[in-house]
DNA sequence: TTGAAAGCGCTAACAA
DNA sequence: TTGTTAGCGCTTTCAA
């Protein structure tokens, strides 16, 4: 029967007293140590169960400094790209015996801030996607190793897992051009005022083929399926002569695919669509999505491995690059 | 310059000595307490940064017992169903200021065991999907509140978030029957030897319409897109006269959708397909998937909320039920 | 405004 | 096999 007032924590001391042994013996029983009598052990275990005893993870962690926890921050776990990155991070962590605390910031700067404010007290290292400035990040994660994914750190304070898709985009554009496309649009992201690096790759690849890109053919899309659809609609209403589009990512591309269908356009016959990321989702849609593909899971895994290097002091913050390559499927 | 040998941890004591103050003052500076001189505070902060000091989360947690962490266990984060559940759990946790440690057991009993063995030392409560017996679970999570999702606990040791899809399945079958279907197959899961409860709902609903179900029309599928496709192929080769299928879940149903297309069958004209879960993914495929839908995110959220009740002692372990309802879209 | 002392709950060493 | 002692690193009294 438990008191209905303050539910004071049951400690190892209570168990010891109840079983008539020392705290040390309780510890031995609970941790399956060798030097303990069978019947004593059973008595202790019974007492522990009786009292509903749970060891404090803090006290235990304090004395056995052995567990490592990494914080993984993503803007939206439901976005399949981040799901794949998270999955890779989880697997890499598991293979090292690390634990992963996951935070979904809902792509919101305030929630990102709130996360950063609490994360420092919970983890040994932080990996993931952040929108705040490096100054902010540094201030909010004092002394903690941080690995930025998909973003080039400007200072040696952070490690970065970068993406080099230039060659992959070049392949994609060459493919489109070889199929006779010349009026090619792009559905860029709309997160920042300036164009993405992927747009730069796109423009450079187009320039290599001597094809000018009308600025109106560069549209911006929210990073959702619906956003991709809306952007395609905008693009096509202004430039109905476009025969192919390159999207900032697969989510946007899949939205475009769906919108094209609603427009009555056949893909790829009337409109070719190329995405970026190479999500598994791209193989489920009809037609299957051609994409400049990344090994998304290794993005997460590499981030955790880099975090491990930083935590152990095996390396200074550095950068790693993941390359993208064209995966030719049906949509282009 | 740091020693290249044992990288001994920098403690509050080191900072105190370096700044020429007491440990207490360091604590005050770091925790933004009021009673401290501005210049002293700055000196301490500088020293801390200089030494790369990071407070131990264990020591801090030990004395401040305020943070709560819940462990979320899923068999496969890449399965969109579990992604949605996880997303709901993360949001519910965030709103309580809880942290979530996520474990992906890769649908493997040994990894589940390994997870259970370490999770107790990391979290205040556990929620998620488990395949092991309640005896095993109880033994491995001594004293820790556990909430089982999608599984009815047999003992009051555990809370459960159950799914009641009987009415939803009945709606689905009524719909199919009203469209003239009578030879309806089911693609059940293949995780256990016995048929799923969803199959029982299916058979009961069919019986209510007085339609006998040939046992050969009950097939088993691995819970992947490919598994769903393979199962449909098996079913159709043995029973080509089937005009509709009900799948254990949307993932299997989407595999069936794809396979039907490869068979040259039009959906729903030649073959109607109904899934279960109501995943967002179902709206991305062509045709959009009709499904007995669940609020998957609330499944995760309810689990965390129940965990909160157990942790605070506000309630004894209990069960909650989430109901499913037919979402009519295009595939049936 | 600062410091000294006490203790959070546990386990690793050592002694009995 | 068991108990005693001494911390792990931090924050909260309380006194200076």
């Amino acid at each position: 029967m438990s008191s209905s007032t303050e539910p004071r924590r049951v400690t190892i001391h209570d168990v010891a007293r109840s079983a008539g042994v020392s705290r040390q013996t309780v510890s031995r029983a609970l941790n399956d140590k060798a030097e303990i009598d069978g019947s004593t052990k059973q008595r202790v275990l019974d007492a522990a169960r009786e009292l509903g005893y749970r060891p404090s993870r803090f006290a235990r962690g304090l004395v056995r400094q052995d567990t490592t926890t990494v914080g993984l921050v993503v803007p939206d776990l439901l976005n399949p790209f981040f799901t794949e990155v998270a999955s890779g991070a989880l697997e890499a962590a598991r293979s090292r015996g690390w634990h992963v605390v996951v935070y979904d910031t809902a792509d919101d700067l305030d929630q990102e801030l709130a996360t950063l404010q609490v994360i420092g007290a919970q983890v040994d290292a932080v990996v993931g996607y952040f929108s705040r400035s490096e100054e902010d990040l540094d201030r909010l994660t004092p002394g903690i190793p941080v690995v930025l994914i998909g973003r080039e750190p400007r200072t040696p304070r952070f490690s970065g897992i970068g993406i080099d898709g230039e060659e992959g985009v070049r392949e994609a554009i060459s493919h489109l051009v070889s199929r006779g496309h010349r009026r090619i649009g792009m559905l860029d992201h709309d997160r920042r005022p300036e164009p993405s690096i992927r747009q730069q790759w796109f423009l450079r690849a187009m320039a290599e083929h001597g094809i000018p890109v009308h600025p109106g053919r560069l549209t911006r899309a929210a990073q959702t399926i619906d956003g991709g659809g809306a952007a395609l609609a905008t693009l096509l209403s202004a430039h109905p002569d476009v025969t192919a589009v390159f999207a900032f990512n697969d989510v946007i591309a899949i939205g475009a695919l769906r919108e094209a269908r609603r427009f009555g356009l056949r893909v790829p016959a009337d409109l070719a669509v190329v995405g970026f990321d190479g999500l598994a989702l791209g193989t489920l849609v009809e037609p299957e999505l051609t994409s400049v593909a990344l090994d998304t899971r290794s993005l997460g895994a590499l981030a955790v491995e880099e975090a491990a290097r930083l935590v152990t002091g095996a390396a200074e913050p550095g950068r790693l690059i993941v390359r993208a390559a064209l995966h030719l499927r049906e949509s282009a």
Side-chain angles (χ1 to χ4, degrees), chain A:
Chain A
M1 176 172 140
S2 66
S3 156
S4 65
T5 56
E6 241 333 73
R8 199 188 60 76
R9 178 176 190 110
V10 178
T11 73
I12 198 172
H13 184 256
D14 302 314
V15 180
R17 210 178 28 191
S18 163
V21 297
S22 72
R23 297 180 307 173
Q24 178 51 346
T25 299
V26 175
S27 174
R28 277 192 277 256
L30 263 51
N31 293 295
D32 267 329
K33 296 285 180 181
E35 321 91 357
I36 186 172
D37 182 83
S39 69
T40 312
K41 178 168 176 177
Q42 196 50 56
R43 189 153 39 93
V44 171
L45 260 26
D46 289 347
R49 162 171 288 259
E50 177 81 18
L51 297 173
Y53 167 70
R54 304 209 314 96
S56 151
R57 68 170 184 281
F58 295 114
R60 192 172 258 177
L62 188 53
V63 61
R64 295 212 297 229
Q65 337 213 122
D66 52 357
T67 61
T68 306
T69 302
V70 60
L72 170 67
V73 180
V74 294
D76 177 15
L77 191 65
L78 288 178
N79 179 321
F81 173 76
F82 297 113
T83 312
E84 294 188 8
V85 172
S87 170
L90 249 38
E91 187 177 336
R94 154 178 290 281
S95 77
R96 314 191 91 80
W98 281 24
H99 301 263
V100 181
V101 191
V102 180
Y103 301 87
D104 185 328
T105 59
D107 209 359
D108 177 286
L109 272 179
D110 293 333
Q111 291 206 29
E112 183 179 321
L113 176 62
T115 297
L116 284 163
Q117 281 168 164
V118 299
I119 206 172
Q122 292 295 313
V123 303
D124 301 296
V126 173
V127 308
Y129 289 82
F130 299 92
S131 298
R132 302 194 85 89
S133 69
E134 294 196 15
E135 293 67 42
D136 285 353
L137 292 178
D138 181 36
R139 186 169 42 76
L140 291 161
T141 56
I144 302 175
V146 176
V147 180
L148 307 176
I149 312 180
R151 167 171 164 181
E152 280 292 307
R154 285 204 252 283
T155 61
R157 162 70 178 83
F158 304 105
S159 281
I161 311 294
I163 293 170
D164 180 359
E166 177 145 32
E167 183 52 34
V169 172
R170 188 181 288 132
E171 290 177 60
I173 300 307
S174 292
H175 170 74
L176 289 175
V177 170
S178 76
R179 293 297 172 100
H181 296 282
R182 297 191 53 88
R183 295 184 302 280
I184 306 174
M186 172 163 181
L187 310 178
D188 203 359
H189 72 71
D190 67 351
R191 306 262 343 261
R192 313 181 150 278
E194 69 272 15
S196 69
I197 179 87
R198 297 181 194 178
Q199 181 174 121
Q200 296 177 37
W201 295 332
F202 168 71
L203 293 175
R204 238 177 269 163
M206 291 293 278
E208 284 171 15
H209 287 279
I211 306 177
V213 178
H214 188 296
R217 291 199 188 120
L218 303 172
T219 311
R220 292 167 165 277
Q223 293 193 42
T224 61
I225 302 283
D226 288 340
L232 182 70
T234 304
L235 176 65
L236 289 181
S237 68
H239 297 266
D241 60 344
V242 160
T243 65
V245 291
F246 168 59
F248 175 79
N249 65 21
D250 283 357
V251 168
I252 291 173
I254 289 170
L257 229 47
R258 194 174 59 170
E259 187 68 16
R261 198 163 59 217
R262 291 180 179 166
F263 254 67
L265 296 176
R266 289 162 305 156
V267 176
D270 300 327
L271 183 77
V273 177
V274 177
F276 191 105
D277 283 344
L279 301 184
L281 181 58
T283 65
L284 299 184
V285 293
E286 157 82 352
E288 292 187 20
L289 185 65
T290 288
S291 181
V292 179
L294 236 37
D295 184 347
T296 49
R297 299 191 71 229
S298 88
L299 226 41
L302 287 174
V304 168
E305 281 155 20
E306 172 70 4
R309 256 171 256 127
L310 297 177
V311 165
T312 60
E316 296 296 299
R319 18 252 58 185
L320 293 171
I321 301 292
V322 173
R323 267 174 231 296
L326 182 65
H327 281 199
L328 217 49
R329 292 202 276 249
E330 302 170 346
S331 70

